[in-house]
């Protein structure tokens, strides 16, 4: 059995982006329940040299649907503008990513196999084949940022577990 590039990326991007959106809902409810200013979570970071929660959420969207757009365009330039500063803005960013991922055609990504994707960073550029970009750069970054979102919320006291991170699982009958 073979697996397509679509199946290796898009369904998981959708699953985890949806789970992160659910984590935002829980985070907002936690703030209301505890009387916390939402900025206490939105601006939280695990270490002084790490980006804050809002940045992590935005980069889940950027390394999910944004990665697909990068493959389509042949390039990726990180969006370093400030992320949304409230739950509604973060939720909208994830909803846009989910809508975009839902438009990706099953065979579309396989058509990009072997095509170059260049990442432009402040200290240079890296060029990958589309499949190597998605599987060795975008997907690991996507999981790093999604995990960091989860970790910040756990650290701040939210009662969440692995099931919250995993989101809606896919089964043979789906």
């Amino acid at each position: 059995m073979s697996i397509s590039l679509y199946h290796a990326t898009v369904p998981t991007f959708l699953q985890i982006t949806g789970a992160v959106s659910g984590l935002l809902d829980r985070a907002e409810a936690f703030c209301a329940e505890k009387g916390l200013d939402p900025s206490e979570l939105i601006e939280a970071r695990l270490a002084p040299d790490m980006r804050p929660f809002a940045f992590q959420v935005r980069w889940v969207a950027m390394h999910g649907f944004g990665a697909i757009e990068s493959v389509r365009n042949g390039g990726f330039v990180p969006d370093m503008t400030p992320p949304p500063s409230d739950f509604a803005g973060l939720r909208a960013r994830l909803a846009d990513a989910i809508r975009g991922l839902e438009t990706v055609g099953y065979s579309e990504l396989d058509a990009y196999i072997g095509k170059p994707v260049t990442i432009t960073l402040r200290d240079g550029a890296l060029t990958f084949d589309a499949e190597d970009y998605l599987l060795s750069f975008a997907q690991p970054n996507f999981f790093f940022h999604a995990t960091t979102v989860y970790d910040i919320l756990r650290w701040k006291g939210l009662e969440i577990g692995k099931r919250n991170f995993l989101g809606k699982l896919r089964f043979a009958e789906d």
Side-chain angles (χ1 to χ4, degrees), residues 19 26-27 32 36 41 61 71 73 80-81 87 89 94 98 114 116 119 143 148 151 157-158 160 163 173-174:
R26 292 186 65 122
L36 292 176
L41 294 182
V71 168
N73 299 326
M80 297 307 292
T81 60
F87 287 117
L94 293 175
I98 289 169
I119 302 171
F143 280 114
T148 303
D151 290 344
L158 270 77
I160 52 178
R163 288 184 182 178
E173 60 270 1
D174 285 351

Side-chain angles (χ1 to χ4, degrees), residues 18-39:
V20 171
S21 184
L23 289 172
L24 285 181
D25 294 341
R26 292 186 65 122
E28 189 169 34
F30 179 81
C31 287
E33 174 188 321
K34 302 290 184 186
L36 292 176
D37 184 324
S39 67

Side-chain angles (χ1 to χ4, degrees), residues 7-153:
H7 282 102
T9 56
V10 174
T12 301
F13 287 156
L14 280 165
Q15 177 183 336
I16 301 300
T17 303
V20 171
S21 184
L23 289 172
L24 285 181
D25 294 341
R26 292 186 65 122
E28 189 169 34
F30 179 81
C31 287
E33 174 188 321
K34 302 290 184 186
L36 292 176
D37 184 324
S39 67
E40 288 191 42
L41 294 182
I42 291 170
E43 296 172 12
R45 55 184 81 214
L46 292 176
D49 64 341
M50 289 184 77
R51 303 279 185 170
F53 178 85
F55 178 94
Q56 306 299 332
V57 172
R58 185 187 63 197
W59 278 49
V60 166
M62 188 167 33
H63 285 295
F65 180 61
I68 303 302
E69 287 292 288
S70 297
V71 168
R72 288 173 171 163
N73 299 326
F76 171 78
V77 178
D79 176 3
M80 297 307 292
T81 60
S85 60
D86 59 17
F87 287 117
L90 293 169
R91 195 175 293 104
R93 184 67 64 102
L94 293 175
D96 288 345
I98 289 169
R99 278 191 297 278
L101 286 163
E102 289 172 340
T103 69
V104 180
Y106 169 77
S107 60
E108 177 185 357
L109 287 184
D110 284 356
Y112 291 111
I113 290 175
K115 305 273 185 189
V117 177
T118 301
I119 302 171
T120 305
L121 304 168
R122 64 181 156 213
D123 57 349
L126 303 168
T127 300
F128 298 86
D129 289 338
E131 62 274 23
D132 290 332
Y133 164 72
L134 286 171
L135 298 173
S136 76
F137 182 81
Q139 202 169 56
N141 271 284
F142 173 82
F143 280 114
F144 173 85
H145 294 291
T147 301
T148 303
V149 166
Y150 173 87
D151 290 344
I152 288 171
L153 295 178

